[in-house]
Amino acid sequence: MSSGSRGTWVLMFLVIISSMFIYNSVSKLDPYSVKKKRMSEKVRKMFYHAYDNYIMHAFPHDELKPLTKTYTDSLSELGNLKLEHLPQEYNGSALSLIESLSSLVILGNHTEFARAVLWLSENLTFDVDARINLFECNIRVLGGLVSAHILATDSTNRLKKGTYENQLLDLAEDLGQRFLPAFDTPTGLPYAWINLKYGVMENEITETSTSGCGSLILEMGALSRLTSDPRFENAALRALRKLWSMRSSLNLLGTTLDVETGEWIEHSSGIGAGVDSFYEYLIKGHILFGREEFWRMFQLAYLAVQKHFRHGPWYHEADMRTGRATFWQLTSLQAFWPGLQVLVGDIAAANSSHREFVHVWNKFGVLPERYLLDHQMLHPTEKYYPLRPELAESTFYLYQATKDPWYLEVGESIVDSLNLYTRVEGGYASIRDVTNMELEDHQHSFFLSETCKYLYLLFNDSFLANQNYIFTTEGHPLPVLSSWHEKLPEAYILSNFTSIKSEEQPKRSSAMSLQICPDAKNESVESACHIADTSADHRCFADEDCGVDSTTCRRRSCSMAGYCGLWLLI
């Protein structure tokens, strides 16, 4: 073999070896890349099947009725309370379009995003005689506009220069100003319903939910930071502080209350409907704005939930005054909780509950709205599944935290079920009865803003590569910016994210009290609230030698025999 041939052969050999090395390296880095690409494309098609049918059959009205290929103007109907009739000239608020804005960006469709922004800029108005639910309008419309404005003005230049002049922010500010009269109550707690044109109506109902007045701080706080108008954040903050002052001695809150008297109406509470996003916005408000006040609230509230609501992997409801169980039931909205637990690093607890939700999903094919744990049966009247996103959301968070491929399998199962049971020619329909998969003629806007988004991000998280975001309870991304922080907590400095050591810190403190993510490599730390016993064999001389139980978050005590345990509960 000539030297030239030998040189060519060696070069070819090196190229082949290099190619094999690169391929093997990529495979080792992410052996599931092929599957993730296939599934992300599958979810992309799901989103556009829902979105295109909305644009074709329902736009500019609020939501699509996929079975009849018509529309519903649902913005003033959210909340299932007595409704006022909309004026005949009302053509909807393009709710599903607003809810789709950030999803379009995450899917990389900047052209459609630009078209949607232009249409909203030229056509959307809130000067209409329509009675709307404050909480729902805040998380869906205000949150959608604020998030889309940020995405339209960030450094990626998604919109052509000169075509966008803060029109979405102007709309958001106008809407926020229309919200403010709702907070004009003796307590500062806002009315649940308000007329966009005329404010609070005469003889308006005074009952609202804990979520309704305690889950406004992200959207209204972000609006204040963007407009330099503190009224929005101040109104939401005053309501949140008042609500927190109404907690029981157990640090529990009820479900419904009177905004004028500040008295509780429903004392039974849990982590599901009416309360869920209250907990969510405490921790996310702390991350977004750096307020230590929010963290202190969340820490006490989270520990109270773990102590009084948790029973094994399940969470029941209990009386806020006594902590006694009231209803043993699983609700589909509770499925957000594992995702919240990921944010505080309580991965073991999150995984435990998540697997139970997956079990129920597999049992019925989807997640029923309410399942009676004490009877192991469906609730007789709440057997529906309205395309909710909470299980997909928690699956996304847990995969981000663990990279366990089992969560990809769960996501694939969710996608397959949605396509099998809910996809119709005109979009995706809700399920009226999970026992026979009878369909209901409604494609909720959150299917576009949350369900498809979290499933897509599970398989393709490239949107998150260069920016930290928190997602609102409606799935709208808000960037975590140091300029929005009153002070950046030490615990969120990236280099110290899992472990912070200081001689000044107490030796026996939980990860939660230290505001750090539990170190997964430290086997002695089993949860965010866990404090290990002084001795590895659990021997003790006094209660001070005992720690905090990792599951119930209750303080352990020393028995007469000299062992730590939850003896007071036996």
Side-chain angles (χ1 to χ4, degrees), residues 35 40 85 135 153 280 337 347 365 378 394 512 526:
K35 178 176 183 175
S40 64
H85 293 293
F135 167 72
T153 55
E280 181 183 2
W337 190 255
I347 306 300
L378 288 171
S394 286
M512 175 167 277
E526 299 174 9

Side-chain angles (χ1 to χ4, degrees), residues 386-413:
L387 306 175
R388 289 203 188 278
E390 284 75 18
L391 183 59
E393 176 186 2
S394 286
T395 304
F396 156 70
Y397 277 112
L398 276 162
Y399 180 70
Q400 285 291 316
T402 67
K403 299 304 178 184
D404 185 336
W406 182 78
Y407 297 108
L408 298 178
E409 300 296 328
V410 173
E412 184 173 14
S413 175

Side-chain angles (χ1 to χ4, degrees), residues 81-319:
L81 299 176
K82 184 176 180 180
L83 312 177
E84 290 193 350
H85 293 293
L86 290 171
Q88 292 183 352
E89 66 273 13
Y90 182 68
N91 291 319
S93 62
L95 175 62
S96 291
L97 181 66
I98 295 172
E99 292 261 68
S100 298
L101 291 172
S102 59
S103 296
L104 290 168
V105 171
I106 289 172
L107 289 169
N109 193 340
H110 299 165
T111 301
E112 184 66 14
F113 175 69
R115 280 200 292 260
V117 168
L118 179 62
W119 188 93
L120 292 168
S121 302
E122 295 178 347
N123 295 279
L124 185 60
T125 178
F126 298 116
D127 189 27
V128 291
D129 181 9
R131 179 174 174 265
I132 56 93
N133 183 276
L134 176 68
F135 167 72
E136 296 287 358
C137 195
N138 173 71
I139 65 172
R140 299 190 189 212
V141 182
L142 183 62
L145 292 173
V146 167
S147 175
H149 164 74
I150 295 172
L151 294 173
T153 55
D154 68 14
S155 59
T156 57
N157 299 316
R158 296 184 174 96
L159 301 181
K160 291 182 179 179
K161 190 174 182 180
T163 62
Y164 182 71
E165 298 179 352
N166 298 333
Q167 297 98 317
L168 297 185
L169 181 59
D170 293 340
L171 285 167
E173 185 174 16
D174 176 52
L175 181 59
Q177 290 173 352
R178 295 174 189 274
F179 284 175
L180 292 178
F183 294 85
D184 187 15
T185 64
T187 62
L189 299 168
Y191 287 99
W193 295 83
I194 189 169
N195 186 289
L196 288 176
K197 193 177 187 72
Y198 301 112
V200 179
M201 305 301 289
E202 187 177 357
N203 299 320
E204 183 58 84
I205 61 171
T206 60
E207 181 178 350
T208 192
S209 68
T210 297
S211 290
C213 55
S215 309
L216 305 166
I217 193 64
L218 293 186
E219 296 83 0
M220 297 187 73
L223 181 60
S224 283
R225 303 303 166 103
L226 293 169
T227 62
S228 300
D229 185 341
R231 292 180 298 162
F232 312 114
E233 184 172 1
N234 288 344
L237 184 57
R238 181 190 176 202
L240 181 58
R241 285 170 172 164
K242 173 60 180 177
L243 184 65
W244 182 242
S245 74
M246 295 166 58
R247 71 192 186 279
S248 71
S249 60
L250 302 176
N251 291 321
L252 297 175
L253 293 88
T255 304
T256 59
L257 55 122
D258 189 295
V259 301
E260 293 186 348
T261 66
E263 299 292 330
W264 288 106
I265 297 173
E266 176 55 66
H267 292 91
S268 180
S269 183
I271 60 170
V275 191
D276 48 359
S277 54
F278 164 75
Y279 298 109
E280 181 183 2
Y281 274 37
L282 290 180
I283 180 62
K284 290 183 177 179
H286 171 63
I287 296 171
L288 190 62
F289 301 123
R291 280 185 177 269
E292 290 298 303
E293 177 184 12
F294 295 160
W295 174 260
R296 291 193 297 271
M297 291 180 184
F298 176 76
Q299 181 181 5
L300 292 174
Y302 182 79
L303 293 177
V305 166
Q306 297 299 93
K307 287 180 181 179
H308 301 291
F309 295 161
R310 187 176 180 183
H311 182 78
W314 303 105
Y315 290 83
H316 58 72
E317 296 181 20
D319 190 306

Side-chain angles (χ1 to χ4, degrees), residues 309-543:
F309 295 161
R310 187 176 180 183
H311 182 78
W314 303 105
Y315 290 83
H316 58 72
E317 296 181 20
D319 190 306
M320 63 174 284
R321 299 163 296 187
T322 64
R324 294 176 181 168
T326 52
F327 300 104
W328 293 80
Q329 56 189 4
L330 171 150
T331 65
S332 61
L333 289 172
Q334 293 175 351
F336 90 99
W337 190 255
L340 177 144
Q341 291 181 303
V342 169
L343 294 180
V344 293
D346 225 344
I347 306 300
N351 176 63
S352 175
S353 296
H354 177 268
R355 286 178 180 269
E356 296 301 327
F357 284 108
V358 172
H359 172 72
V360 176
W361 177 285
N362 291 335
K363 180 176 182 178
F364 294 101
V366 293
L367 197 61
E369 188 70 2
R370 197 174 297 270
Y371 183 76
L372 304 180
L373 295 173
D374 47 352
H375 299 291
Q376 291 292 297
M377 61 176 286
L378 288 171
H379 189 281
T381 61
E382 297 186 45
K383 298 185 287 186
Y384 54 88
Y385 170 67
L387 306 175
R388 289 203 188 278
E390 284 75 18
L391 183 59
E393 176 186 2
S394 286
T395 304
F396 156 70
Y397 277 112
L398 276 162
Y399 180 70
Q400 285 291 316
T402 67
K403 299 304 178 184
D404 185 336
W406 182 78
Y407 297 108
L408 298 178
E409 300 296 328
V410 173
E412 184 173 14
S413 175
I414 295 174
V415 170
D416 290 344
S417 291
L418 289 171
N419 282 315
L420 177 63
Y421 298 120
T422 72
R423 182 184 171 109
V424 296
E425 184 181 3
Y428 284 84
S430 300
I431 295 175
R432 189 187 305 276
D433 187 338
V434 301
T435 63
N436 56 24
M437 294 301 177
E438 177 189 358
L439 296 178
E440 181 179 355
D441 198 10
H442 197 170
Q443 178 181 287
H444 291 271
S445 63
F446 54 69
F447 183 74
L448 295 164
S449 69
E450 296 184 84
T451 309
C452 290
K453 178 181 295 165
Y454 285 123
L455 288 170
Y456 184 80
L457 287 172
L458 171 65
F459 301 111
N460 184 341
D461 61 0
S462 57
F463 171 75
L464 305 172
N466 299 311
Q467 176 69 61
N468 289 321
Y469 289 94
I470 60 100
F471 291 89
T472 70
T473 197
E474 195 69 8
H476 300 303
L478 297 174
V480 180
L481 305 172
S482 59
S483 60
W484 282 15
H485 277 237
E486 295 185 351
K487 74 173 180 179
L488 189 64
E490 181 77 8
Y492 289 100
I493 297 176
L494 201 58
S495 62
N496 295 334
F497 195 74
T498 58
S499 178
I500 296 178
K501 296 181 180 179
S502 172
E503 295 181 358
E504 299 178 0
Q505 293 174 346
K507 293 182 179 179
R508 301 186 69 242
S509 298
S510 68
M512 175 167 277
S513 65
L514 295 177
Q515 294 182 256
I516 61 175
C517 185
D519 189 345
K521 299 178 182 179
N522 187 351
E523 296 181 358
S524 66
V525 179
E526 299 174 9
S527 74
C529 66
H530 179 231
I531 299 177
D533 298 332
T534 302
S535 175
D537 62 5
H538 309 295
R539 293 298 301 267
C540 58
F541 294 99
D543 288 348

